[in-house]
Amino acid sequence: MSNSLKKQPSQKRSQERVQKILVSCSDLLRKEGLQSLTMPKLAKAASVSVGSLYQYFENKQAVLQALYEDYLLTLRRLISDFLPELEGYQDWKEGMGQLLENLFEAEQASGTMSELNQAMQLYPEMEALDERHQKEVSALLIQVLKHYDFPGSKSQLEQLMNFTYAINIGTWSYRTRFSSPKQLKQANHWEKVATIAVLEDYLLSFEG
């Protein structure tokens, strides 16, 4: 469960209630935007009392942090679950390309990219979540590179993954501003091309 919770739910019913709150928060963000989100409105949408909502979350910021943590965890699980599937992709470009496509789909499925990006500007604590996420994602992606026998030391591979993560952050910001289906498709394609190009250049640096 999220570190943003005031009280960690131990029973299944309580865990389901917290999850329902997060789902309702996501729905409200998609329908009405960040500025319209209030604790009373969220309690009504989640069919819980305002008092019950405050039992788990200190304020709106804590709910948004928990929602963002949940979103980031989904992405990390997606990468972890994909690792065994790498055996089906002999070429590293195909394997990495498919993983990126899966991540793009998961990022956009949330439907709250723009609102979460706004929340990060308002609440610096959410950036700390992203920094921790970056380290864990980099470690997972290094496993992908090692599967394809990428050369280099641990620090070199970490630097490489940090740079590709920066590409994702830039594209993520772009997609929150330009969100038509055509623009999203183009942005995803450009991110994939850019990431593959960086990885190719890295491999070339070890030749000769």
Side-chain angles (χ1 to χ4, degrees), residues 9 14 20 28 48 65 73 76 103 105 110 133 141 147 159 162 168 172 174 183 187-188 198 203 207:
S14 298
K20 186 176 182 181
L28 284 173
V48 299
Q65 286 182 221
L73 179 59
R76 292 197 298 273
L103 287 170
E105 183 178 348
S110 72
H133 173 71
L141 292 179
H147 173 82
Q159 182 181 7
N162 287 337
N168 176 259
W172 198 76
Y174 175 90
Q183 289 169 323
N188 292 343
V198 168
L203 287 175
E207 294 184 3

Side-chain angles (χ1 to χ4, degrees), residues 92 142 145-146 148-161 163-164 194-207:
W92 70 265
I142 286 175
L145 299 186
K146 288 184 176 179
Y148 291 110
D149 297 321
F150 267 60
S153 64
K154 179 181 178 181
S155 61
Q156 287 174 310
L157 292 174
E158 286 176 346
Q159 182 181 7
L160 176 63
M161 288 298 92
F163 189 85
T164 59
T195 301
I196 296 297
V198 168
L199 296 178
E200 278 190 303
D201 186 74
Y202 174 84
L203 287 175
L204 286 173
S205 69
F206 286 88
E207 294 184 3

Side-chain angles (χ1 to χ4, degrees), residues 61 65 68 118-131:
Q61 176 184 342
Q65 286 182 221
Y68 191 48
Q118 292 177 43
M120 287 180 67
Q121 309 305 315
L122 292 173
Y123 307 119
E125 293 85 355
M126 292 180 67
E127 291 189 17
L129 297 177
D130 195 64
E131 291 175 5

Side-chain angles (χ1 to χ4, degrees), residues 87-111:
E87 296 295 337
Y89 301 90
Q90 293 186 355
D91 184 81
W92 70 265
K93 293 181 186 178
E94 293 181 0
M96 182 61 75
Q98 185 58 58
L99 175 56
L100 290 172
E101 293 286 350
N102 293 351
L103 287 170
F104 297 154
E105 183 178 348
E107 287 175 345
Q108 288 161 214
S110 72

Side-chain angles (χ1 to χ4, degrees), residues 2 4 7 20 23 31 43 58 64 88 106 112 123-124 151 158 177 182 188 197:
S2 168
S4 303
K7 181 176 77 171
K20 186 176 182 181
V23 171
K31 294 175 183 177
E58 184 174 355
L64 290 167
T112 57
Y123 307 119
E158 286 176 346
R177 296 167 55 205
K182 182 178 179 180
N188 292 343

